[in-house]
Amino acid sequence: MPEEPKFPEDLKYRETHEWARREGGIVTVGISNYAQEELQDVVYVELPEAGAAVALEQEFGVIESVKAAFNLWPPVSGEVIEVNAELEDAPELINEHPYSLGWLIKIRMNNPDELDTLLSPDEYRTLVEGERD
């Protein structure tokens, strides 16, 4: 698999380092390359079950690494329609492929306007570069 870009242009980002990829009324969610680099070796992921409701300002899960734990925040409100079951046995997919195989959940959006509150790839790049300084 080719190396993934650092800031894919088809994504929107939360300041808390989650990304959102919209496909119609569904949003796929993961964590950014920057976040997985900061966490280093991911060893465990706690995610909601399909059918669970998620809300913008309520965490939906946790990622644990050998270095730290990281709360997960949804980029949009809605219903979880799918969870990446591969992560249960292979959480390292988040480190290896954060924008593809390492996705976390898929949400059926309640309010597509919430996507407008997220950062563009350029805005997110600026945020991350500021954190690295």
Side-chain angles (χ1 to χ4, degrees), residues 13-79:
Y13 301 84
R14 274 191 72 128
E15 291 180 358
T16 52
H17 307 293
E18 293 83 6
W19 56 259
R21 178 181 290 122
R22 182 180 185 172
E23 300 165 63
I26 307 299
V27 171
T28 302
V29 179
I31 66 165
S32 71
N33 187 63
Y34 172 79
Q36 72 78 21
E37 286 176 347
E38 289 295 301
L39 280 167
Q40 296 180 358
D41 298 325
V42 174
V43 294
Y44 176 75
V45 186
E46 182 181 310
L47 298 171
E49 294 183 13
V54 292
L56 213 47
E57 297 308 319
Q58 294 180 338
E59 63 186 66
F60 71 84
V62 177
I63 290 182
E64 294 180 12
S65 73
V66 294
K67 183 178 172 185
F70 179 81
N71 292 331
L72 297 166
W73 300 88
V76 295
S77 302
E79 176 189 355

Side-chain angles (χ1 to χ4, degrees), residues 34 38 125-133:
Y34 172 79
E38 289 295 301
R125 180 182 295 110
T126 299
L127 173 80
V128 166
E129 288 169 356
E131 289 185 10
R132 286 190 171 138
D133 290 341

